């Protein structure tokens, strides 16, 4: 379809970005959006995903959030953006930013726009990558490992069910200039969604990127993250930040501390185009709830790179769970678990004729040391212990068969010094729960690209016209 | 009764920094608490390697006096969400660090009790 390009001014003195929450679908008090609009927001930006909940969402291309959650948030944000005539930008749609995730959010958006009678132009930016194209990049020496990853094999790329590249602000900026009112981006850096509008309207890179990092989790940089999001005002000398809820505060400590959050290095952060450097940044309270930040820098990189994320199926899992309250078994729980593990191996070898390298079993003693294992500093006696058996195999039927072989052991295994068979406390019938495909992240690499928009594909759709 | 780093802190927390890194943060109450946590004799790469099984040469320390914060990052021992990962968000890995008892360093800095 034909969409009219938009002119954006670059002689602004300041650009204001409203971030309603840390993630689309997390919810927010509606009055905080009204307040952000009243304060003069120039754009609404919100992150739609993360790798933080593990490889399943990328590997299976399914979202972590419920459709109704995303629809609830989009209804409020789309109406606010339309009324105020400002762009709405969503990054990492559908949790992992796969093409299916973008289409999922686009479909929800289409429904909301139709129901609300809003005519907005929606751009979708797809970030999924073809393994064959990346193999060519690999062979050309354009793919580089990030620590702690090692060199990449072509077969690893080809084994992924989905690979996404993390876009910077450039494809988002291009979509806005191309006429989009709403930008639904695939995988994007957490910062790119909030940095795009300040950068395209001429704000300096240091404050734009630093502000974007501070607001990426919404209210996390305030004294009460539950009260809603924040408004960042970026100008030529720095940025100011305040919570959207008047009863909540940003303090120099709450703002500075957010640079630590989910980052390995709190002072220097790589984006596709360069590195945010906040080593010299200063944080100053303007009043009891607004903070001013100055001194942020951005160092352009000699080579533009995009980061890749890829997940593949590692096998199939079946879980079984029982619980032990008997004080004698609990007192000898590690010996009991070791015995269970050993006898299970013998029975699997005898009945299923599987070698040890054809499957894996993890016995987790919840209530005893399941979480930190031998790194746990405490050794208090447990009153009851949950025993999770997790089986991993090349196919689901094998994983379940192994869990079934384990069942009589999990139910009746005595400790070595017991001369009767105990019965443990199974909470479920059937005892086995099939977890389906198990996924693993296998990429921690960047690929060189000289055109920041080239790895991404953008489509435009005028709402209501094609509903 | 010896105080732990957790007792001296406002918060000790842990989290993923992407799928392949865990990061730990000690938010200390005041400068005295920070002096304890930032003491390289008490808390250093060798201690973290022992507590977490992390490779000593890849452990990263950030001592931030302006925030009374010590931050430590290291590669995950098991990739996030993989078969043997028992803490997908690295959310409970702060406990061994918080349980450290800085008796000697605390006495030297006058920060005990």
């Amino acid at each position: 379809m034909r969409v009219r390009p938009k002119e954006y001014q670059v002689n602004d003195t300041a650009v204001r970005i409203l971030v309603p929450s840390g993630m689309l679908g997390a919810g927010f008090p509606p009055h905080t959006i009204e307040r952000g609009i009243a304060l003069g927001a120039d754009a609404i930006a919100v992150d739609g995903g993360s790798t933080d909940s593990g490889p399943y969402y990328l590997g299976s291309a399914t979202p972590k959030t419920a459709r109704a959650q995303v629809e609830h948030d989009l209804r409020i944000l789309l109406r606010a953006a339309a009324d105020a005539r400002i762009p709405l930008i969503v990054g990492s749609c559908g949790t992992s930013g796969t093409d299916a995730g973008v289409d999922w959010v686009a479909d929800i958006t289409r429904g909301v726009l139709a129901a609300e009678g809003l005519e907005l132009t929606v751009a979708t930016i797809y970030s999924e990558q073809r393994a064959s194209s990346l193999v060519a990049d690999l062979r050309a020496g354009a793919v580089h490992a990030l620590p702690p990853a090692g060199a990449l094999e072509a077969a690893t790329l080809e084994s992924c069910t989905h690979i996404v590249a993390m876009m910077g602000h450039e494809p988002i900026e291009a979509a806005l200039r191309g006429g989009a009112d709403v930008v639904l981006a695939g995988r994007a850096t957490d910062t790119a969604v909030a940095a795009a509008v300040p950068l395209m309207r001429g704000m300096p890179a240091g404050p734009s990127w630093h502000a974007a990092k501070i607001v990426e989790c919404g209210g996390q940089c305030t004294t009460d993250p539950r009260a809603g999001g924040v408004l960042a005002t970026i100008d030529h000398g720095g940025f100011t930040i305040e919570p959207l809820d008047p009863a909540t505060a940003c303090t120099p400590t709450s703002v500075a501390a957010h640079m630590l959050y989910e980052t390995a290095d709190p002072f220097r952060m790589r984006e596709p185009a360069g590195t945010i450097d906040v080593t010299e940044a200063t944080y100053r309270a303007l009043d009891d709830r607004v903070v001013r930040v100055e001194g942020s820098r951005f160092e352009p990189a000699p080579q533009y790179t995009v980061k890749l994320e890829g997940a593949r199926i590692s096998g199939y899992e079946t879980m079984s769970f029982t619980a032990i309250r008997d004080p004698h078994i609990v007192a000898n729980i590690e010996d009991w678990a070791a015995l269970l593990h050993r006898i299970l191996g013998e029975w699997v070898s005898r009945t299923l004729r599987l070698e040890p390298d054809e499957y894996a079993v993890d016995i987790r003693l919840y209530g005893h040391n399941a979480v930190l294992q031998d790194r746990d500093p405490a050794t208090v006696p447990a009153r009851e212990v949950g025993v999770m058996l997790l089986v991993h195999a090349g196919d689901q039927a094998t994983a379940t068969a192994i869990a079934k072989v384990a069942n009589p052991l999990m139910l009746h295994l005595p400790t070595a010094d017991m001369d009767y068979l105990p019965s443990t406390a199974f909470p479920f019938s059937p005892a086995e729960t099939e977890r389906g495909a198990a996924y693993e992240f296998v990429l921690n690499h960047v690929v060189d690209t000289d055109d920041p928009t080239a790895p991404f594909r953008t489509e435009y759709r005028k709402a209501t016209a094609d509903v | 009764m010896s105080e732990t780093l957790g007792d001296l802190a406002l918060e000790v927390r842990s989290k993923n920094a992407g799928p392949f890194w865990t990061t730990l943060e000690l938010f200390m109450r005041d400068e005295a608490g920070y002096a304890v946590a930032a003491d390289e004799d008490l808390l250093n790469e060798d201690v973290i390697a022992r507590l977490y099984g992390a490779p000593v040469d890849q452990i990263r320390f950030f001592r931030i006096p302006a925030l009374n914060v010590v931050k430590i990052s290291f590669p995950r021992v098991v990739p996030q969400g993989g078969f043997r990962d028992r803490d997908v968000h690295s959310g409970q890995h702060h406990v061994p660090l918080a349980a450290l008892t800085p008796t000697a360093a605390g006495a030297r800095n006058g920060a005990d009790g």
Side-chain angles (χ1 to χ4, degrees):
Chain A
M1 68 164 285
R2 183 181 302 163
V3 177
R4 201 170 41 171
K6 287 190 180 176
E7 298 282 332
Y8 281 89
Q9 302 299 315
V10 292
N11 57 353
D12 296 306
T13 54
V15 174
R16 293 171 180 81
I17 303 298
L18 188 171
V19 179
S21 68
M23 191 174 79
L24 184 71
F28 42 77
H31 73 266
T32 57
I33 307 305
E34 290 167 26
R35 183 142 191 287
I37 297 294
L39 288 169
D42 294 292
I44 300 174
V46 63
D47 195 13
S50 164
T51 57
D52 196 44
S53 295
Y56 173 81
Y57 302 101
L58 174 61
S60 65
T62 51
K64 182 185 176 182
T65 37
R67 187 181 181 94
Q69 287 177 279
V70 171
E71 187 174 323
H72 169 272
D73 287 7
L74 278 177
R75 188 175 302 278
I76 296 167
L77 297 178
L78 285 165
R79 196 186 291 158
D83 287 352
R85 297 170 182 272
I86 59 175
L88 169 65
I89 301 163
V90 183
S92 301
C93 284
T95 305
S96 60
T98 58
D99 292 358
V102 174
D103 286 337
W104 184 69
V105 177
D107 188 57
I108 298 169
T109 300
R110 211 153 33 235
V112 169
L113 293 177
E116 299 286 319
L118 301 173
E119 291 203 23
L120 298 176
T121 298
V122 179
T124 45
I125 311 176
Y126 296 93
S127 61
E128 256 189 87
Q129 306 295 308
R130 284 200 315 274
S132 56
S133 163
L134 291 170
V135 167
D137 290 331
L138 181 66
R139 299 223 159 102
V143 178
H144 315 284
L146 300 174
L152 185 62
E153 307 273 334
T156 303
L157 288 165
E158 285 156 354
S159 71
C160 290
T161 52
H162 294 277
I163 302 172
V164 291
M166 292 179 92
M167 71 184 80
H169 69 286
E170 297 89 347
I172 297 169
E173 175 173 341
L176 291 169
R177 290 192 189 282
D181 302 304
V182 179
V183 178
L184 305 178
R187 191 65 171 131
T189 71
D190 289 354
T191 38
V193 289
V197 171
L199 289 170
M200 76 184 284
R201 290 176 55 172
M203 296 303 116
S208 295
W209 285 111
H210 190 185
K213 166 59 190 168
I214 295 296
V215 300
E216 50 139 2
C217 285
Q220 189 102 26
C221 63
T222 71
T223 55
D224 182 7
R226 287 157 295 195
V230 290
L231 185 82
T233 304
I234 298 103
D235 58 49
H236 291 274
F239 68 95
T240 60
I241 180 155
E242 66 182 288
L244 294 172
D245 183 332
T248 305
C250 282
T251 68
T253 303
S254 77
V255 172
H258 189 70
M259 284 307 288
L260 307 174
Y261 191 65
E262 293 181 340
T263 55
D265 182 334
F267 296 110
R268 289 174 61 81
M269 236 155 288
R270 180 66 203 255
E271 292 289 333
T275 300
I276 311 169
D277 185 337
V278 305
T279 316
E280 304 293 322
T282 59
Y283 302 80
R284 178 165 53 93
L286 291 186
D287 58 27
D288 57 3
R289 52 182 302 283
V290 181
V291 169
R292 173 78 180 165
V293 183
E294 294 178 354
S296 332
R297 292 196 305 255
F298 189 81
E299 293 172 9
Q303 173 64 57
Y304 194 97
T305 57
V306 292
K307 192 175 169 189
L308 302 173
E309 293 174 345
R312 69 180 175 198
I313 294 176
S314 61
Y316 293 80
E317 289 178 359
T318 300
M319 193 256 294
S320 186
F321 190 94
T322 190
I324 296 175
R325 179 62 182 84
D326 184 305
H328 182 76
I329 305 178
V330 167
N332 297 282
I333 192 69
E334 301 214 25
D335 291 342
W336 183 88
L339 188 62
L340 169 62
H341 209 148
R342 181 169 64 75
I343 298 178
L344 176 59
E346 292 167 6
W347 287 15
V348 166
S349 168
R350 194 165 63 230
T351 60
L352 303 177
R353 305 207 173 279
L354 290 173
E355 298 297 322
D357 63 356
E358 292 179 276
Y359 69 98
V361 163
D362 195 15
I363 296 172
R364 306 179 177 191
L365 302 174
Y366 283 94
H368 176 66
N369 71 350
V371 179
L372 297 173
Q373 298 174 271
D374 53 0
R375 289 173 190 117
D376 202 315
T379 51
V380 291
R383 196 153 56 87
E384 55 186 39
V385 174
V387 180
M388 178 191 288
L389 176 87
L390 194 58
V391 183
H392 187 275
D395 61 81
Q396 190 76 66
T398 301
T400 298
I402 294 165
K404 284 177 183 289
V405 169
N407 183 268
L409 291 168
M410 290 180 75
L411 176 59
H412 289 310
L413 183 70
T415 58
D417 61 349
M418 287 169 77
D419 52 10
Y420 60 95
L421 295 185
S423 294
T424 63
F426 271 86
F428 306 119
S429 171
E432 295 79 25
T433 302
E434 294 190 336
R435 297 197 68 255
Y439 294 89
E440 60 184 350
F441 285 121
V442 290
L443 298 182
N444 192 24
H445 298 77
V446 294
V447 57
D448 299 339
T449 176
D450 293 328
D451 177 354
T453 62
F456 309 99
R457 305 169 314 281
T458 302
E459 293 176 9
Y460 299 86
R461 204 173 280 124
K462 186 94 178 167
T464 69
D466 60 351
V467 168
Chain B
M1 187 65 192
S2 301
E3 286 188 305
T4 63
L5 278 179
D7 294 331
L8 294 169
L10 287 170
E11 184 186 0
V12 185
R13 71 184 185 186
S14 57
K15 199 74 173 42
N16 293 331
F20 301 99
W21 286 77
T22 292
T23 188
L24 311 169
E25 285 142 17
L26 288 147
F27 288 84
M28 306 310 289
R29 286 179 201 284
D30 49 31
E31 288 176 25
Y34 172 76
V36 174
D39 185 331
E40 293 184 31
D41 292 333
L42 170 74
L43 206 52
N44 52 47
E45 286 78 356
D46 291 334
V47 172
I48 296 300
R50 175 169 57 77
L51 289 178
Y52 292 99
V56 73
D57 57 339
Q58 292 191 58
I59 296 167
R60 305 184 67 188
F61 260 83
F62 301 92
R63 294 180 176 85
I64 311 173
L67 297 174
N68 291 327
V69 163
V70 174
K71 180 177 170 76
I72 304 151
S73 303
F74 54 84
R76 267 177 154 274
V77 177
V78 181
Q80 184 202 8
F83 177 60
R84 293 188 193 279
D85 183 21
R86 296 169 177 216
D87 187 0
V88 167
H89 301 85
S90 293
Q92 291 290 297
H93 274 63
H94 60 292
V95 173
L97 179 64
L100 279 184
T101 306
T103 314
R108 188 163 68 242
N109 290 289
D112 53 348

